[in-house]
């Protein structure tokens, strides 16, 4: 069994990036431990605070954010960070080479019901003259990412990672505190019969998305000609992990509840890193109109419409939006 460190030393040509990924994993192991202890560590429930997204924070959102922030700030390789739980970008070390953007605890509405949550991260390279206190420093499109991944806090704790050379997963052995390589060169099957979308938002979707889902629900008698199955965990990390395991399509499309926002999920630390993983595994990630990783960001907390997973099914959704 290959240890994460050993794998990275052979797989990744930039030792500074290896250090950043390893440093992130130190914080994530700590988060995994706290998630596992749950009420025994007094970490469940609300932090009674509202974050920059206008969402009420859980205690574990705050704890996970602080652990990752602390770890990144201590690394000379990291110039700055941006987090779902921080209103502004945070400067770290002026000579750092990397910018790290993250959602410390995705799916945290699930935390009190003991359902899988996770940390999502995206790593960008910065130019030497860039000022990490400026938001503009972070506004690179997804194609510029040098690494992306997530840590899933489920029955097992898993790291799923890409540095642009395929997707690999690692399982944490909590007895020794090490991640071990589990799956190499993960591939997403091109076709699927499994979809994930929050159906309660149906009346707010664009007509094109309503048409696609209506046709899909007709099953083998409908124009799509197959019987679909539905899943909705309300935890993007868990849904994307299922898709990286057996295929599927995950959608959180534009809806008209807040017309000024293009979707619920955030581009920089949810849409982009998950798109890089999905594409690296042979899948596809789109807003339904354009490739997510080509969206030019205008703010670190920008929202994006998300349609990702098995390539043929994503293409079908795109076709519905073309007509
Ligand atoms: P979060 O980062 O605040 O947890 O929000 C993102 C989550 C995703 O993990 C999930 O796909 C989605 O929100 C669920 O939304 P909904 O509650 O509308 O079903
Ligand atoms: Mg999230």
């Amino acid at each position: 069994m290959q240890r994460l460190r050993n794998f990275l030393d052979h797989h990744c040509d930039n030792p500074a990036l290896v250090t950043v990924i390893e440093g992130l994993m130190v914080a994530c192991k700590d988060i995994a431990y706290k998630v596992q202890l749950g009420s025994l560590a007094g970490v469940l429930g609300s932090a009674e605070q509202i974050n920059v997204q206008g969402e009420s924070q859980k205690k574990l959102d705050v704890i996970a954010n602080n652990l990752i922030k602390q770890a990144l700030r201590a690394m000379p390789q990291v110039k700055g960070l941006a987090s779902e739980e921080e209103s502004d970008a945070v400067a770290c070390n002026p000579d750092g080479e990397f910018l790290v953007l993250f959602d410390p605890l995705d799916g945290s509405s699930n935390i009190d019901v003991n359902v899988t949550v996770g940390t999502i991260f995206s790593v960008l390279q910065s130019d030497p003259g860039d000022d990490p206190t400026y938001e503009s420093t972070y506004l690179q499109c997804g194609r510029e990412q040098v690494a992306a991944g997530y840590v899933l806090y489920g029955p097992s704790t898993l790291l799923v990672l890409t540095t642009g050379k395929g997707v690999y997963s690692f399982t944490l052995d909590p007895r020794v505190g090490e991640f071990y390589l589990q799956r190499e060169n993960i591939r997403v099957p091109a076709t699927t019969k499994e979809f994930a979308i929050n159906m309660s938002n149906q009346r707010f979707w664009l007509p094109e998305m309503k048409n696609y889902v209506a046709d899909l629900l007709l099953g083998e008698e409908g124009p799509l000609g197959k019987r679909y199955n539905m899943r909705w965990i309300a935890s993007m990390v868990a849904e994307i992990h299922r898709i990286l395991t057996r295929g599927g399509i995950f959608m959180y499309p534009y809806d008209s509840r807040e017309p000024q926002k293009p979707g619920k999920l955030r581009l920089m630390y949810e849409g982009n890193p998950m798109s890089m993983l999905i594409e690296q595994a042979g899948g596809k990630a789109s807003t339904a109109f354009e490739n997510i990783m080509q969206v030019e960001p205008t703010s670190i907390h920008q929202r994006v419409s998300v349609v990702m997973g098995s390539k043929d099914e994503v293409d079908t959704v795109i076709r519905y939006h073309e007509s």
Side-chain angles (χ1 to χ4, degrees):
M1 283 207 300
Q2 195 177 11
R3 285 176 186 211
L4 174 63
R5 175 65 204 228
N6 191 264
F7 168 86
L8 288 172
D9 284 343
H10 290 95
H11 180 82
C12 181
D13 344 309
N14 186 340
L17 182 58
V18 173
T19 308
V20 171
I21 294 167
E22 282 232 292
L24 263 171
M25 287 315 107
V26 172
C28 289
K29 282 188 250 183
D30 224 338
I31 298 169
Y33 183 67
K34 293 201 159 57
V35 168
Q36 229 165 26
L37 283 177
S39 62
L40 298 177
V43 296
L44 301 186
S46 167
E48 322 251 309
Q49 280 168 218
I50 303 291
N51 69 7
V52 59
Q53 327 279 338
E55 295 162 356
S56 123
Q57 287 177 310
K58 299 279 184 188
K59 280 185 196 161
L60 263 171
D61 284 322
V62 178
I63 292 168
N65 184 57
N66 288 340
L67 284 169
I68 297 175
K69 188 163 76 166
Q70 222 172 19
L72 294 176
R73 289 181 101 172
M75 282 188 256
Q77 297 82 1
V78 177
K79 180 180 268 191
L81 63 87
S83 161
E84 178 177 328
E85 306 300 340
E86 299 279 338
S87 47
D88 301 311
V90 177
C92 297
N93 296 294
D95 298 327
E97 191 184 336
F98 298 108
L99 305 165
V100 182
L101 298 93
F102 58 95
D103 176 353
L105 207 63
D106 180 59
S108 56
S109 68
N110 284 311
I111 195 73
D112 295 339
V113 287
N114 204 17
V115 169
T116 299
V117 290
T119 298
I120 310 173
F121 59 91
S122 160
V123 186
L124 297 167
Q125 206 129 22
S126 80
D127 287 330
D130 287 347
D131 184 334
T133 59
Y134 289 169
E135 185 172 21
S136 57
T137 294
Y138 300 78
L139 303 182
Q140 305 178 24
C141 71
R143 287 264 172 258
E144 305 295 325
Q145 293 173 105
V146 292
Y150 59 80
V151 176
L152 199 71
Y153 311 111
S156 308
T157 298
L158 301 181
L159 162 66
V160 179
L161 177 72
T162 183
T163 59
K165 292 189 278 183
V167 181
Y168 295 79
S169 80
F170 305 82
T171 303
L172 177 68
D173 183 340
R175 298 167 299 185
V176 292
E178 291 277 358
F179 281 100
Y180 290 97
L181 182 61
Q182 181 208 8
R183 289 168 67 205
E184 301 183 59
N185 269 318
I186 294 174
R187 304 302 291 168
V188 175
T191 59
T192 186
K193 292 180 180 172
E194 198 159 64
F195 74 104
I197 195 164
N198 185 339
M199 291 290 289
S200 68
N201 298 327
Q202 195 165 16
R203 69 188 190 282
F204 302 111
W205 298 336
L206 294 175
E208 293 83 349
M209 185 54 77
K210 284 184 187 161
N211 290 340
Y212 164 69
V213 173
D215 283 353
L216 160 169
L217 292 175
L218 294 173
E220 54 275 61
E221 279 103 50
L224 297 171
K226 50 185 169 178
R227 184 179 295 191
Y228 286 82
N229 186 23
M230 194 192 97
R231 289 285 180 272
W232 188 250
I233 307 172
S235 180
M236 186 191 200
V237 270
E239 319 272 7
I240 298 302
H241 193 68
R242 184 184 61 249
I243 291 171
L244 286 170
T245 305
R246 64 179 191 217
I249 186 166
F250 169 81
M251 295 168 283
Y252 212 117
Y254 170 82
D255 69 52
S256 61
R257 281 175 296 172
E258 293 182 82
Q260 74 288 1
K261 292 181 183 164
K264 173 179 180 183
L265 300 176
R266 275 59 48 127
L267 173 66
M268 304 297 290
Y269 39 81
E270 293 175 323
N272 277 339
M274 291 310 201
S275 297
M276 184 175 181
L277 288 164
I278 289 286
E279 280 198 14
Q280 282 288 318
K284 192 159 180 171
S286 170
T287 64
F289 296 100
E290 65 177 315
N291 192 298
I292 290 178
M293 287 199 286
Q294 275 155 356
V295 173
E296 286 292 342
T298 53
S299 101
I300 51 176
H301 296 298
Q302 173 172 348
R303 313 270 177 152
V304 69
S305 163
V306 169
V307 177
M308 62 171 73
S310 293
K311 187 177 173 306
D312 292 357
E313 201 62 35
V314 174
D315 281 334
T316 302
V317 176
I318 293 170
R319 267 201 308 280
Y320 272 78
H321 286 77
E322 281 165 353
S323 49

